[in-house]
Amino acid sequence: MRLVCISDTHSMHRQIAVPDGDVLIHAGDCLGAGTVAELEDLDNWFSEQPHRHKILIAGNHDWCLQDEPADAEALLRNAIYLRDSGIAIEGLSFWGSPWTPVFFDWAFNLTRGPAIAGRWEQIPGDTDILITHGPPAGILDQVVTATHAESVGCDDLARELESLRLK
């Protein structure tokens, strides 16, 4: 099975060349302003992609999926939306979660500690492929500005990964 993973397209999905594959995974920040109209365009774009399966999780810019979840999720007809949930595809177990530790004041932020740890504890032990918008602590989690570098990864996610046997 060939997985194609993209992220942080910020409503510029039509400007990227997506490789062929079996499963197209969008790991969040699919929207620019976070509107339902942008989500509808993304869903139409998913319908144009040749991948047999398409999976979407939200990210910290995807406001409508946080603030209007019922309306937003109802628009998604061409991708499987995972929000602290999973799906089995061709014998593999996928789990997706949008949460990140508080970083500025964006969507799907939770405080470090019990609030976010509780989300990671929901990940089933038999998960093969985990899709999160934010990284675990220590894995590609540096945000660099002109004045400093900051690690924004999640310690609780890193701890949870130790107990999983992901593929």
Side-chain angles (χ1 to χ4, degrees):
M1 176 184 297
R2 183 160 187 224
L3 305 178
V4 176
C5 303
I6 60 174
S7 173
D8 295 85
T9 55
H10 296 279
S11 287
M12 294 184 282
H13 44 272
R14 294 187 184 280
Q15 298 175 28
I16 60 173
V18 179
D20 290 334
D22 302 304
V23 181
L24 173 59
I25 299 170
H26 196 304
D29 278 4
C30 56
L31 308 178
T35 67
V36 170
E38 290 174 320
L39 186 63
E40 191 168 26
D41 180 62
L42 177 73
D43 189 62
N44 290 333
W45 177 80
F46 273 129
S47 74
E48 300 163 7
Q49 302 311 303
H51 308 79
R52 287 194 315 271
H53 307 281
K54 294 115 182 176
I55 297 174
L56 172 68
I57 69 163
N60 52 7
H61 284 83
D62 302 330
W63 287 101
C64 66
L65 287 161
Q66 174 184 280
D67 296 344
E68 309 167 63
D71 292 338
E73 291 175 33
L75 289 175
L76 293 170
R77 295 177 304 278
N78 297 297
I80 301 158
Y81 178 63
L82 300 179
R83 178 178 176 169
D84 298 320
S85 58
I87 189 164
I89 298 174
E90 297 180 22
L92 291 175
S93 174
F94 293 77
W95 185 267
S97 184
W99 304 101
T100 58
V102 172
F103 182 68
F104 296 108
D105 189 21
W106 289 338
F108 295 103
N109 279 193
L110 288 172
T111 57
R112 294 177 185 274
I116 201 163
R119 299 298 176 155
W120 308 136
E121 290 167 2
Q122 295 176 22
I123 302 167
D126 64 349
T127 298
D128 295 310
I129 298 166
L130 176 63
I131 309 159
T132 62
H133 181 63
I139 300 178
L140 301 172
D141 69 339
Q142 293 287 309
V143 172
V144 180
T145 67
T147 59
H148 75 286
E150 179 181 358
S151 295
V152 297
C154 183
D155 293 316
D156 292 300
L157 178 56
R159 275 191 290 282
E160 190 65 29
L161 289 178
E162 293 173 6
S163 69
L164 298 172
R165 298 180 53 98
L166 302 171
K167 294 200 185 297

